Each structure stands twice: as C-alpha cells, then as structure tokens.
C-alpha cells in the first residue's frame, strides 16, 4: 500500500521506527494531489513545500487539508466565495496555532460550499468537488473538499466545520470518519462564522484512532473564544477500547421512517447486530420533535448567517464594486452592488431568509419560534440520555447523490440534513463512521451521538464497531 | 389557532433585499420569490407545534458574559488591520462619499 493510503497513526509509527521520513510522507501525498486532484478538485489551493511546513517541533508531522473557512496567517482564505477573494488573514485560527505547534504539514486549502451553505460542495465559487468513489457524484458538503481529500489519499487527515452536518454527511458520502465535537469543545477563534451558536471545527480522518488523535490536538479552552468550554481535555486515545459490554444504546424510531434508502437502512440495522454481539444493549427510544428539526434549524441558522455575513460590505476585505449610476447613495450603492456580485445564489437565499425571519413583524413567528422548538429538540435528547449512553442513527438518508441532482431544488437539499442537524441544535457530539457499501459501491455512514463532552463514549462505540468490521480498511481506487 | 401562511410577493423580496443590502438583478427576484415561498411553506409546519411556556434556546452551553482582566496586550498594528482593505489611507478604511 502506498504511504498516502495509511492512517496518521500508522505513519507516525513508521516515522518513529525510521522506516519513513516526514518528507517522504509529504512527497507521497503531494504526488497523489498532482495525479488525482485535477479530477477530484478537493483543493482550491495547494501549497508548495516551503509553504506547507510549519516551524513547530515535529511531533505529529502529518499532512493535513484545511477547509477554506479556517484562517491561516498569510494564506488566502475565502470560504469559497467571490466576496472574500484575496483575503489573507493576519492571524492563525487557534486550531491552526495548535497544529503548527505539532509540526503539522499543510497540504492545501480544501473546497467547500460557499460560507458552508450546502450539502454537496456544488455551491463553491471554484466549482464542485467530485466523490472519489464515483466521480459523477457529490462528496457531500459543506466540507466536501476535506472529505474527498482524505478519501482520495490527497491528505492523511483534514479539518472541516460542522453547522448542520457539514463534517459528518461528507464523511459518510466519502467512506471516512467525521466528528462534530460538543459545542464549545474546540475553539472557533479564526473559524469564519456561519451560525455562531451551531458551528464547530472537527476532524475528518480514515479511522476512529486518527479522529481521537486529531481531536486531542485541537480541543481545549481558548480565551479568544468566549463560547469555548473550560472543561479538561482527556487523553482521547484511552477511549479506544474494543468493548461496549453493558453500554445502553438508543435507536430513535423517528429516524427510520419515510425517506431513508433501503440500502442505508439495511447497513445501519446490520451494524446494530455487530454491536449487540459485542455486548451493547439496544432499546428503541423516541425523539418526538424530530420532524420539526429541519424547519427550526433553517430559521435559526439563516438568522445567524444573515447577521454574520453583514460584515462583507466591500470595506474591510475582499471584493468591492461601485455601480456606474447612482441609485440610493454612493455608499449604499457600493454595499448593494458588492454583495450582489460577491454572493452566490445559495448565500443570497440564506441571507434573505434570515433577514426575513429577524425582521419586524416576523421575528416572533419565525426566529423566536425556531429558538423555542430548539429547546424542545434539546429536551428530547436530554430525556433519552437519562437512560442511554449513546444513540445510533444513519448519518444521511441516502448515499452520495449525482452532481446536479438537487442543485435546482434548495428545499430538497435542506431535507438531506435530516439526521445531522439535531446534534448542532442541541450542542451534543456526534461521529460518522463507514458502515458498508451500497450495491453501486457507494459508502454508507453510521452516526453515533452522545451527551455533551462525552466524546469518549463516541470513540468507544465507534472504535468497537470499527474493530469488528472491515469497512474502514477499504480505499477508493484512484 | 394555526396562522394562515403568508404569501411572499416580489415586493416582499425587494424589501428584504433592501434590508439585506443586496441589489438583486434580472430574474433573481422571481427566482428568490419562488425559493422563499417553498421554504417558508415547509417551515410553516412549526405552526402545528404548541410552544406556549417554552423558553427559547439561543445558546446551548450555560455560559454567560465572560470577562477578563482589562490589561492591554499586543494586537494587530493599524497597517496589518487595514492590509486586506480595497482602499485604505493613513491607517483608515476608505469608503465612498457618505454625505
């Protein structure tokens, strides 16, 4: 097997035994980027060797892909939007600072839906990313570039961000492991905001061991993010035990109704049997407000987005366009023209929807109502976690869909987030691990959810599942 | 009582676009009218839910105002802070004529 197909843990072992050097690992990954990325388009920017290496002591010199919404000093960071063209952050995001301290090797910046608005990576101003398992299909989104880079051996691991499933759904579609940590577990300082009460940065990796390793590097309290939680970071690798005996796992009945593909359901059901044989105890549970989650999410998330994106006004960074003829006033005309030119269709839809639900006369009916429904959804999880240690669900109702299949129908795209958004609304951690393949050879994802700050429970369940199944060893042929 | 669904018109979309500071052009108004109509129609299902007496959740963690000691510390220099601006002069952002 080529070095670029190995996990970070395997690579670190090789380096430790002097069977490979960090330079060889980087060269192997870069060779794959040059060979495959013309077709996959996981990256929007690839660094040269001088730009890739960080100065830190090389304890974890593993090549990583970084989503285009995480600030790296001096590296163009655009959220794959025209409105941020040319923006070079004057500071590092906290996760980048931590990675640099471990000698991380930065391969490049990965593609995403503009401002993380989407579930397919088709809404990027640089054009779509293709799924390494089937190049006519999407990699999922919005962290589709990060997931495709890992699945396509163009990075050993990657960082994504997850506001409604943007790490987990692309991980499921690309057959890799994606973790959304508890809200507050990882600093958001330097993550360009989409919806501040929902956003979290997290790892996309080839297996659960790497997920635990990478979370251990990036997690922790940060005084620069007042929403980060001052909770000690455990050694997550100690949670990697092949044992779920006596663990109580809930299966929410509302997640297995209409809309789920038969092959996805079959793979998830089979995974329940695997964990049962390992000693986990399953019971059916109810999350009664599930059917309202998407509606509440798209109100809350777009309201926050419309506010966060107000800063793109052609003044502090990025694009500026002045119309030839005066309409309102030179300043207002510049704002309006810049924002019309700079934002793509989905960004405009979400800004407009958010502005509408926050506007006078509609605030109580939409935004406030959304926040109240959010309370009910959170209470659903609180109730289940009183008797269960974890919840098991599919990550997405389908396998990867075709490029262009949903791009003309925003609502049907929103509905594809049905299983992932509740974790963001309630702040709990969730992981997606590969749990099989469809007859077309497309990966299926299994989602495990746990209580706030119980990432160790996620790792324990996911690791046990992984050790008793072959899926994480499959590699896309590229 | 369930409130009737409000119909979104082109004028509504133009009004929201003004609030959003986006100058919509061509068939964007027609397209967004349809998109918003579809999405709000879907969101209308929340009307079925009784949320009387439910507290809103704007934030999931029990964190409130976070303070730190008010000591000055190193920060970006003026030229670094304005380095990304389309137009800057003497350390200030330059904007089109306001008055």
């Amino acid at each position: 097997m080529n070095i670029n197909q190995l996990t970070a843990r395997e690579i670190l072992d090789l380096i430790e035994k002097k069977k490979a050097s960090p330079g060889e690992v980087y060269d192997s990954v870069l060779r794959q980027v040059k060979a495959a990325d013309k077709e996959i388009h996981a990256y929007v920017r690839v660094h040269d060797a001088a730009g890739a290496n960080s100065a830190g002591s090389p304890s974890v010199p593993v090549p990583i892909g970084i989503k285009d919404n995480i600030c790296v000093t001096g590296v163009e960071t655009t959220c794959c939007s025209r409105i941020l063209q040319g923006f070079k952050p004057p500071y590092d995001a906290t996760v980048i600072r931590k990675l640099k301290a471990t000698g991380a090797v930065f391969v490049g910046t990965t593609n995403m839906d503009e401002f993380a608005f989407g579930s397919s990576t088709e809404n990027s101003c640089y054009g779509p990313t293709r799924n390494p398992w089937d190049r006519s299909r999407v990699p999922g989104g919005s962290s589709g570039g990060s997931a495709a880079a890992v699945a396509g051996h163009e990075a050993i691991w990657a960082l994504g961000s997850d506001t409604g499933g943007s790490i987990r759904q692309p991980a499921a579609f690309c057959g890799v492991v994606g973790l959304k940590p508890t809200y507050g577990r990882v600093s958001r300082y330097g993550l360009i905001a989409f919806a501040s009460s929902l956003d979290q940065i997290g790892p996309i990796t080839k297996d659960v061991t790497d997920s635990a390793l990478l979370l251990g590097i990036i997690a922790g309290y940060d005084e620069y993010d007042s929403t980060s939680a001052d909770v000690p970071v455990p050694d997550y690798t100690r949670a990697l035990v092949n044992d779920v005996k006596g663990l109580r796992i809930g299966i929410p009945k509302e997640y297995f109704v209409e809309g789920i593909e038969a092959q996805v359901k079959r793979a998830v059901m089979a995974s329940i049997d695997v964990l049962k044989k390992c000693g986990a105890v399953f019971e059916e549970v109810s999350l009664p407000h599930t059917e309202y989650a998407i509606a509440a999410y798209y109100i809350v998330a777009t309201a926050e987005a419309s506010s966060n994106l107000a800063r793109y006004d052609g003044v502090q960074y990025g694009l500026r366009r002045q119309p030839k003829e005066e309409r309102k006033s030179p300043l207002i005309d510049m704002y309006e023209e810049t924002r019309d030119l700079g934002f793509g269709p989905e960004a405009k839809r979400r800004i407009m929807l958010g502005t509408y639900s926050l506007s006078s006369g509609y605030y109580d009916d939409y935004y406030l109502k959304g926040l109240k429904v959010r309370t009910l959804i959170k209470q659903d999880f609180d109730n289940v976690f009183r008797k269960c240690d974890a919840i098991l669900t599919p990550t997405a109702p389908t396998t990867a869909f075709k490029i262009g299949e949903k791009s003309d129908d925003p609502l049907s795209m929103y509905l594809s987030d049905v299983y992932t958004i509740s974790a963001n609304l309630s702040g709990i951690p969730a992981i997606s691990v590969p749990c099989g393949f469809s007859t077309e050879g497309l990966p299926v994802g299994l989602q495990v959810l746990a209580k706030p700050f119980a990432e160790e429970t996620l790792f324990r369940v996911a690791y046990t599942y992984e050790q008793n199944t072959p899926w994480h060893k499959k590699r896309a042929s590229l | 009582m369930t409130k009737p669904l409000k119909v979104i018109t082109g004028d509504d979309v133009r009004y929201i676009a003004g609030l959003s500071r986006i100058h919509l052009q061509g068939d964007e108004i027609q397209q967004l009218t349809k998109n918003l109509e579809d999405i709000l129609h879907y969101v209308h299902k929340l009307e079925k839910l009784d949320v009387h007496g439910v507290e809103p959740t704007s934030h999931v963690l029990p964190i409130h105002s976070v303070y730190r000691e008010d000591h000055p510390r190193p920060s970006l220099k003026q030229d670094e802070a304005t380095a990304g601006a389309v137009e800057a002069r003497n350390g200030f952002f330059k904007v089109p004529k306001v008055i």
Side-chain angles (χ1 to χ4, degrees):
Chain A
M1 203 188 270
N2 209 313
I3 299 180
N4 57 42
Q5 299 202 20
L6 300 178
T7 66
R9 180 69 269 165
E10 290 166 338
I11 284 170
L12 291 170
D13 289 345
L14 286 181
I15 291 173
E16 199 179 329
K17 289 177 190 146
K18 307 229 182 297
K19 287 182 178 164
S21 71
E24 282 166 355
V25 176
Y26 173 62
D27 288 345
S28 166
V29 169
L30 203 62
R31 261 200 309 280
Q32 178 69 1
V33 173
K34 283 181 178 149
D37 207 52
K38 211 167 234 174
E39 202 180 0
I40 300 299
H41 194 224
Y43 287 98
V44 296
R45 265 160 243 112
V46 177
H47 307 316
D48 58 20
N53 285 291
S54 49
S57 70
S59 56
V60 191
V62 175
I64 187 166
I66 303 292
K67 192 177 180 179
D68 193 24
N69 59 353
I70 299 174
C71 290
V72 184
T73 305
V75 173
E76 191 178 1
T77 305
T78 68
C79 291
C80 291
S81 175
R82 288 181 74 181
I83 210 154
L84 265 174
Q85 293 307 295
F87 172 61
K88 290 183 178 169
Y91 66 96
D92 281 330
T94 296
V95 292
I96 298 297
R97 181 175 55 75
K98 290 183 170 204
L99 279 165
K100 283 182 174 174
T102 66
V105 181
F106 296 91
V107 183
T109 313
T110 57
N111 202 10
M112 60 185 279
D113 288 296
E114 182 178 9
F115 285 104
F117 298 155
S119 313
S120 69
T121 315
E122 292 168 291
N123 298 331
S124 162
C125 75
Y126 302 108
T129 295
R130 293 175 181 276
N131 191 314
W133 293 92
D134 178 345
R135 275 141 256 184
S136 69
R137 292 176 188 271
V138 303
S142 67
S143 311
S146 289
V150 175
H153 331 306
E154 297 183 48
I156 303 304
W157 55 19
L159 287 186
S161 67
D162 191 315
T163 307
S166 280
I167 287 174
R168 291 161 285 156
Q169 183 254 24
F173 280 13
C174 291
V176 292
V177 175
L179 170 72
K180 182 202 90 74
T182 307
Y183 184 82
R185 178 71 294 184
V186 176
S187 168
R188 294 183 298 109
Y189 180 71
L191 170 68
I192 299 177
F194 157 7
S196 309
S197 81
L198 305 164
D199 297 341
Q200 262 301 278
I201 297 172
I204 296 179
T205 58
K206 291 174 189 170
D207 67 6
V208 177
T209 300
D210 278 9
S211 189
L213 276 176
L214 189 47
L215 180 65
I217 294 172
I218 62 173
Y221 174 69
D222 177 18
E223 62 173 342
Y224 288 111
D225 173 6
S226 59
T227 64
S228 77
D230 199 357
V231 175
V233 180
D235 178 357
Y236 289 115
T237 59
R238 296 184 66 149
L240 301 170
V241 289
N242 185 355
D243 174 21
V244 287
K245 260 183 222 76
L247 220 62
R248 298 157 305 167
I249 302 179
I251 303 294
K253 60 182 182 192
E254 292 84 359
Y255 281 49
F256 293 88
V257 287
E258 60 196 285
I260 182 171
E261 259 176 27
Q263 300 201 71
V264 171
K265 188 171 178 178
R266 209 172 303 134
V268 173
M269 289 300 171
S271 70
I272 295 174
D273 290 337
V274 171
L275 285 165
K276 260 186 196 161
K277 284 196 185 109
C278 298
V281 182
F282 281 86
E283 68 173 291
E284 186 179 271
V285 296
S286 176
L287 297 165
H289 296 96
T290 297
E291 69 162 304
Y292 302 106
I294 292 176
Y297 172 83
Y298 276 93
I299 290 173
V300 173
T302 59
E304 293 188 23
S306 73
S307 171
N308 275 324
L309 270 62
R311 73 191 65 174
Y312 305 107
D313 59 0
V315 175
Q316 294 178 72
Y317 22 63
L319 188 79
R320 176 186 289 189
R321 170 75 76 91
Q322 190 76 45
K324 286 194 187 75
E325 288 175 18
E326 189 171 320
R327 291 190 298 264
K328 294 177 179 171
S329 79
L331 182 65
I332 304 293
D333 291 347
M334 185 279 282
Y335 290 159
E336 295 195 337
E337 193 80 3
T338 300
R339 288 164 66 83
D340 182 54
L341 184 72
F343 291 129
E346 183 61 25
K348 286 180 190 170
R349 263 194 294 275
R350 297 208 189 188
I351 291 170
M352 299 274 290
L353 184 62
T355 304
Y356 180 76
S357 69
L358 288 172
S359 66
S360 171
Y362 301 103
Y363 182 90
D364 285 358
D365 283 349
Y366 290 101
Y367 184 62
L368 194 59
K369 181 122 196 192
L371 293 183
K372 289 180 177 179
V373 177
R374 183 177 187 181
T375 304
L376 297 174
I377 288 164
K378 187 171 179 296
Q379 285 171 353
D380 284 354
F381 282 100
D382 291 345
N383 289 336
V384 169
F385 285 131
R386 271 188 207 111
K387 52 181 180 174
C388 290
D389 302 297
I391 295 174
L392 208 70
T393 77
T395 306
T398 68
T399 51
F401 44 87
K402 292 267 186 189
I403 290 174
E405 191 180 322
K406 294 181 194 251
S407 47
D408 291 334
D409 185 356
L411 185 58
S412 87
M413 191 78 88
Y414 296 177
L415 298 180
S416 70
D417 301 337
V418 58
Y419 299 137
T420 46
I421 54 182
S422 295
N424 302 79
L425 287 170
S426 49
I428 61 174
I431 194 168
S432 177
V433 291
C435 72
F437 288 83
S438 71
T439 46
E440 301 99 327
L442 299 171
V444 180
L446 173 73
Q447 179 176 236
V448 188
L449 307 102
K451 291 175 211 179
F453 302 101
E455 278 82 359
E456 289 160 294
T457 307
L458 297 185
F459 289 136
R460 186 173 157 199
V461 175
Y463 183 78
T464 303
Y465 176 74
E466 194 181 74
Q467 293 306 301
N468 290 280
T469 50
W471 317 117
H472 66 291
K473 292 205 164 73
K474 304 263 186 218
R475 298 283 183 263
S477 53
L478 272 174
Chain B
M1 203 184 78
T2 307
K3 285 188 187 169
L5 179 64
K6 190 183 175 304
V7 178
I8 298 286
T9 65
D11 282 345
D12 292 329
V13 168
R14 268 182 283 267
Y15 174 69
I16 304 162
L19 293 176
S20 309
R21 293 275 189 251
I22 299 175
H23 177 65
L24 298 177
Q25 307 194 34
D27 58 3
E28 281 184 309
I29 292 179
Q30 212 183 343
Q31 190 62 46
L32 276 162
T33 307
K34 189 188 176 307
N35 291 158
L36 291 186
E37 181 91 31
D38 287 351
I39 295 164
L40 290 172
H41 187 261
Y42 177 78
V43 165
H44 193 66
K45 65 161 39 178
L46 295 184
E47 279 299 317
K48 283 196 292 179
L49 205 55
D50 181 11
V51 292
H52 187 75
V54 177
E55 286 295 313
T57 297
S58 55
H59 199 271
V60 288
L61 293 179
I63 294 177
H64 299 288
S65 297
V66 177
Y67 297 101
R68 64 168 169 81
E69 291 299 311
D70 187 19
H71 297 311
R73 53 172 116 182
S75 58
L76 292 179
K77 295 187 187 73
Q78 221 171 0
D79 60 334
E80 289 171 331
T82 55
V86 185
E87 266 193 285
R89 191 183 293 171
N90 302 332
F92 290 92
F93 295 106
K94 193 166 177 241
V95 296
K97 194 175 144 197
V98 178
I99 43 169

